[in-house]
Amino acid sequence: MAFSVSRTSRGLVKPFEQTPSGTLDLSVIDRLFILRCNARTLHVFRHGPEAARFIREALSKALVPYYPLAGRLKESSQGQLQIECSGEGVWLVEATASCNLDSVNYFDNAESETYDELLPDRNPEVDGTEPLVQMQVTQFGCGGFVIGLIFCHSICDGLGAAQFLNAVGELARGVNHLSILPVWRRDFSPPPPQQPTIAKLPILPPPMPNYKLEHANIDIPIHQISHLKQQFLDSTGKICSTFEVVAATFWQQRTIAINFKQNTEVKLVFFANCRQILNPPLPEGFYGNCFYPVTITTLSDSLTQASNVEVVKLIQEAKAKLPVEFERYIKGEYLKDGDGEDPFAPPLIYTTSFISEWGRLGFNEVDYGWGPPVHVVPIQGSSIIPVGIVGSLPLPEKGIRLMTWCVEEDHRQEFIDLMMTSI
């Protein structure tokens, strides 16, 4: 896949109008250390001549209601993460590519080495802080374009980031009023109770794993998903979701492919949106982080010998506990005994599988004036966290694409073969 990209301009895009200044506090979840990272994605659009010009203007307008995104992260005197609403802006790079999108198959199954060309390159940092949103719009000879996006996870989860991009899309299309107005509301959770300070020996970080995870995509037609959901209905009289049947198959077949030692403890972790289970629910327009890790633990032998229906039941039982567990977390109750495990810090080892659902985030609905993206490509964030991402097949196909970085090379082909024969 030989192609080259020329970056033609770089700069900060500031809010179109004067915006409020000052400091905003972040929520308890926003401030989690594990979210002090950037999420990176590619958004591939079949058509859109002069896309960068329209997106630049729309970004500037969107940063008026979404003015915190034009600010910078800072720490309070107590070491708590905050937003300084400075209006400095977001980083935008404009670029052109040397080929047409069809010649690179719209970056379907692209190698990760090509992604750096499509993501914004380094920008001038101010006092060591980066813009919260960084974007590169690369125009291709066919008139299509690719957006390479880097988004600060401390400010938005996937739903929040997609909400912002949809606002940019609406403004690029010339709407006068956004369909969803942003809501800050980072005070939905009180700070956890202070724990007594006890002198302890320093805790050494766990040793880093020495494995390397390989990429594999599994494409699942819609009729196969429907078949598994019907099996569950016939067996239990209850319905299940597409995510549940895909997650169950992913977890089970990965465990079989790796062939762990007898009765090894294995975990499945996924992050559930909690906006609607708060009392009262968060209003539409909230764009911060509001999710909780659902963790299921079992023994490898039990998992490999179970039916898909039985594994889906495990997932549904864990999801049913979510409201109670999330309430305990935001109240700090898991810390009351002083030795409670942090649910946001599951063990990052080969026996832990993470899976995430992207199909309902809203990225596939973003329209800057020429229709939604052909597909959205997540970029691997870590080479040691076994993960699967449930997305959609590139248009016009209908079905699921399971994008994974979950096994070593020795287990990769076995995992692919098992997935293809079981779903």
Side-chain angles (χ1 to χ4, degrees):
M1 188 180 294
F3 80 107
S4 61
V5 170
S6 299
R7 295 180 174 95
T8 55
S9 70
R10 303 170 176 83
L12 290 168
V13 178
K14 298 186 177 184
F16 182 70
E17 301 172 358
Q18 186 73 27
T19 56
S21 59
T23 300
L24 291 173
D25 290 326
L26 293 170
S27 75
V28 169
I29 298 178
D30 291 334
R31 296 199 301 261
L32 289 169
F33 184 77
I34 63 167
L35 296 186
R36 296 195 184 191
C37 62
N38 290 324
R40 302 180 302 158
T41 50
L42 300 182
H43 307 251
V44 184
F45 293 82
R46 192 180 302 276
H47 189 64
E50 297 188 80
R53 177 171 64 86
F54 288 94
I55 290 172
R56 174 185 289 276
E57 294 174 1
L59 267 175
S60 182
K61 294 176 181 178
L63 288 174
V64 176
Y66 285 90
Y67 66 90
L69 298 183
R72 298 293 183 265
L73 288 177
K74 60 173 285 189
E75 285 192 355
S76 69
S77 57
Q78 290 78 35
Q80 299 289 357
L81 205 61
Q82 298 176 314
I83 292 292
E84 183 67 40
C85 298
S86 59
E88 292 173 72
V90 303
W91 184 250
L92 180 64
V93 178
E94 298 181 27
T96 58
S98 61
C99 61
N100 295 335
L101 278 171
D102 58 359
S103 67
V104 290
N105 199 25
Y106 293 87
F107 296 99
D108 191 13
N109 284 318
E111 296 297 324
S112 59
E113 289 78 9
T114 66
Y115 296 159
D116 287 344
E117 292 289 308
L118 297 167
L119 289 167
D121 55 355
R122 292 186 62 83
N123 57 74
E125 297 183 3
V126 180
D127 297 328
T129 60
E130 289 187 326
L132 304 178
V133 181
Q134 302 172 57
M135 182 183 290
Q136 177 171 310
V137 182
T138 303
Q139 196 79 54
F140 285 73
C142 57
F145 65 100
V146 173
I147 292 178
L149 184 68
I150 300 175
F151 221 109
C152 176
H153 208 328
S154 293
I155 308 307
C156 300
D157 58 16
L159 286 166
Q163 178 182 309
F164 173 68
L165 292 185
N166 272 291
V168 176
E170 288 184 344
L171 293 168
R173 300 197 309 271
V175 303
N176 293 321
H177 303 285
L178 295 178
S179 60
I180 298 176
L181 292 176
V183 177
W184 185 250
R185 271 301 311 275
R186 306 301 169 105
D187 59 351
F188 66 84
S189 170
Q194 293 294 319
Q195 298 299 303
T197 302
I198 302 174
K200 294 182 179 180
L201 292 174
I203 299 174
L204 296 176
M208 294 294 288
N210 59 4
Y211 52 77
K212 180 185 177 184
L213 300 172
E214 299 296 333
H215 178 226
N217 281 350
I218 312 293
D219 290 348
I220 310 169
I222 197 69
H223 71 269
Q224 292 289 82
I225 298 293
S226 299
H227 175 69
L228 287 175
K229 293 166 75 172
Q230 186 64 46
Q231 279 187 340
F232 187 84
L233 179 62
D234 293 342
S235 176
T236 67
K238 300 177 181 179
I239 62 172
C240 65
S241 68
T242 295
F243 172 77
E244 288 164 353
V245 296
V246 174
T249 308
F250 163 75
W251 187 27
Q252 184 179 51
Q253 302 310 321
R254 177 182 184 268
T255 303
I256 295 172
I258 294 171
N259 192 23
F260 291 112
K261 292 180 181 179
Q262 187 174 12
N263 285 330
T264 297
E265 185 178 87
V266 292
K267 295 179 183 291
L268 178 70
V269 182
F270 58 91
F271 298 94
N273 173 30
C274 295
R275 287 161 168 77
Q276 294 305 308
I277 66 175
L278 285 165
N279 187 18
L282 286 171
E284 183 183 37
F286 174 84
Y287 61 104
N289 291 287
C290 188
F291 58 87
Y292 187 80
V294 177
T295 301
I296 308 135
T297 304
T298 191
L299 298 178
S300 56
D301 294 44
S302 298
L303 180 61
T304 58
Q305 294 166 18
S307 67
N308 186 269
V309 169
E310 290 169 330
V311 183
V312 171
K313 282 183 180 179
L314 286 178
I315 293 172
Q316 290 190 340
E317 289 167 2
K319 288 173 69 174
K321 300 175 185 176
L322 175 63
V324 172
E325 292 189 358
F326 183 62
E327 184 178 12
R328 287 186 67 243
Y329 175 79
I330 62 173
K331 290 181 177 179
E333 291 181 2
Y334 79 100
L335 290 172
K336 278 187 176 178
D337 297 329
D339 58 354
E341 291 186 3
D342 184 353
F344 279 90
L348 303 182
I349 53 180
Y350 206 45
T351 54
T352 302
S353 304
F354 292 81
I355 190 162
S356 178
E357 183 176 23
W358 279 46
R360 297 184 179 182
L361 295 180
F363 289 125
N364 290 324
E365 301 166 6
V366 177
D367 181 357
Y368 297 101
W370 306 277
V374 177
H375 66 138
V376 178
V377 184
I379 298 176
Q380 182 184 19
S382 168
S383 61
I384 62 170
I385 300 178
V387 65
I389 297 176
V390 182
S392 302
L393 285 175
L395 293 175
E397 300 296 323
K398 293 187 179 297
I400 295 298
R401 168 162 290 176
L402 177 63
M403 298 159 278
T404 72
W405 297 267
C406 70
V407 290
E408 297 180 276
E409 183 58 40
D410 288 348
H411 304 134
R412 180 177 180 274
Q413 193 57 53
E414 178 73 6
F415 168 68
I416 293 173
D417 293 343
L418 286 167
M419 286 294 299
M420 297 304 293
T421 56
S422 63
I423 200 164

